[in-house]
Amino acid sequence: MIRRFAVLFLAALLPLSAGAGQAHAAGYRYWSFWERDGSAWTYATVGPSLARPADGDVQGFRFSVSEDSGDAAKPRGAAGFDTICARTPAKDGTKRVALVIDFGTPADAPSGEKPPAGRTACAQVAEDATTAEALASVAEPLRYDSNALLCAIAGYPAKGCGEQVAAGGKESSPAESAETAGTAEEASAQDDGGSGPSVGLIAGAAVVAVLGAAAVWQVRRRA
């Protein structure tokens, strides 16, 4: 009887704890950089300013909201080098890099902005050119922040760079997000007298209380 009581109580707590975790879910709105490996996209291990593609390579960019590289959205659309660079003949002293630029969906767009239609381009650049240089040759203007993070391709988006986006769609910069988190923690501490118990501790105490009550009831029933 005691075990059954505890199981039922824990089952009731699980949705509450899951809801608490989901309430804090957030992602970041940014341009992700991809490389084509055969027929699949792989997340690039270096930034476009460091990558030096070879002639015939296919690389892509996708604007979206994601938590990290593990759930980042991949570029959509045609991604074959022969298709993208069909009208750009080889030329001595240069290389051709096929680029897929996916501006994302309206759901991922910053407030008040509409993503342009996706496009492909064949960048013909110097043999030692980086991906950033190849991109600049076909999709200006590009915009970077002070940390060399790619913020905009072909002027999209018009503002913002890697801002955090909460589950409810509210935007804030990484610095503002950290400040908000700190303020929330301080407010919580003040409300709890500076040393309030955590949700897990409260839940644990509640389970202990339920088990104790069940034990007393069982003893009385046998008496």
Side-chain angles (χ1 to χ4, degrees), residues 91-126:
K91 183 179 179 181
D92 290 343
T94 68
K95 62 183 175 184
R96 293 169 298 164
V97 181
L99 298 173
V100 178
I101 306 172
D102 186 343
F103 294 88
T105 66
D108 289 335
S111 178
E113 296 201 52
K114 181 180 179 181
R119 60 166 128 162
T120 60
C122 185
Q124 191 162 40
V125 291

Side-chain angles (χ1 to χ4, degrees), residues 7 21 35 41 52 70 101 111-112 115 130 135-136 140 144 151-152 160 199 222:
V7 169
E35 297 174 334
W41 287 111
R52 294 185 185 275
I101 306 172
S111 178
T130 64
L135 183 63
E140 287 188 331
Y144 294 87
C151 303
V199 173
R222 289 178 179 177

Side-chain angles (χ1 to χ4, degrees), residues 44-139:
T45 56
V46 298
S49 62
L50 296 177
R52 294 185 185 275
D55 181 73
D57 281 355
V58 179
Q59 299 187 316
F61 294 86
R62 171 69 186 266
F63 188 75
S64 66
V65 175
S66 60
E67 293 184 35
D68 51 43
S69 61
D71 74 336
K74 299 176 181 179
R76 300 167 295 174
F81 176 82
D82 292 339
T83 299
I84 297 173
C85 290
R87 299 182 180 181
T88 307
K91 183 179 179 181
D92 290 343
T94 68
K95 62 183 175 184
R96 293 169 298 164
V97 181
L99 298 173
V100 178
I101 306 172
D102 186 343
F103 294 88
T105 66
D108 289 335
S111 178
E113 296 201 52
K114 181 180 179 181
R119 60 166 128 162
T120 60
C122 185
Q124 191 162 40
V125 291
E127 292 179 332
D128 63 346
T130 64
T131 300
E133 292 171 326
L135 183 63
S137 72
V138 297

